[in-house]
Amino acid sequence: SVEGTHVDNSKGYLKFDTGVLTPKEISLIFNHLPVDITFVDKEGIVKYFSANKDRIFVRARSIIGRKVENCHPPESVHVVEKIVADLASGKKDWEDFWLHLGDKYVFIRFIAVRDEQGKFAGVVEFAHDIKPYQEISGEKRIAD
């Protein structure tokens, strides 16, 4: 059962500090978020990307297991390496960028992922089309 702190591992649940999910549920959640998520581990290996239907940056499954610098144009590799070095060293916890891409206005954040002791575990890249939000004004409350 999934009650309290007891988790039936035979059902395939993964236990987190704030709940339990199956790998399928985790995949569904990530693939339904309206953002691009890519995770690169501490060795610089691409380990995961979300596959939502409206991805901004198209990813091929062949990037899994590749070094992150092999996934960027040669002219930007040095910039990516510097960002990752700053995140890994603790000099920065995140780095933000924003750019126009076709009809989208894309906000990108590279976030340092650290364990409970603060040890660097990798980088998560989060990209989101913020253009629709720029048109929001006033309020819309849940009761509206």
Side-chain angles (χ1 to χ4, degrees), residues 5-48:
T5 57
H6 176 70
V7 177
D8 183 349
N9 287 328
S10 70
K11 302 275 190 222
Y13 286 100
L14 299 175
K15 185 176 181 186
F16 298 91
D17 291 341
T18 56
V20 296
L21 296 166
T22 66
K24 178 68 173 176
E25 290 168 332
I26 295 166
S27 180
L28 287 168
I29 290 167
F30 282 157
N31 291 336
H32 280 80
L33 292 173
V35 298
D36 291 8
I37 299 170
T38 304
F39 177 71
V40 177
D41 74 7
K42 65 184 176 189
E43 305 301 325
I45 304 296
V46 179
K47 299 284 280 288
Y48 172 83

Side-chain angles (χ1 to χ4, degrees), residues 1 13 20 26 28 38 43 48 54 61 64 66 71 80-81 90-91 95 99 102 108-109 114 124 126 129 138 144:
S1 75
Y13 286 100
V20 296
I26 295 166
L28 287 168
T38 304
E43 305 301 325
Y48 172 83
D54 298 316
R61 289 186 181 3
I64 303 298
R66 292 176 60 189
C71 302
V80 172
E81 289 174 342
K91 180 178 180 182
E95 183 75 43
L99 55 104
I108 305 161
R109 176 170 282 182
R114 304 185 198 290
V124 66
F126 166 93
D129 179 10
D144 292 345

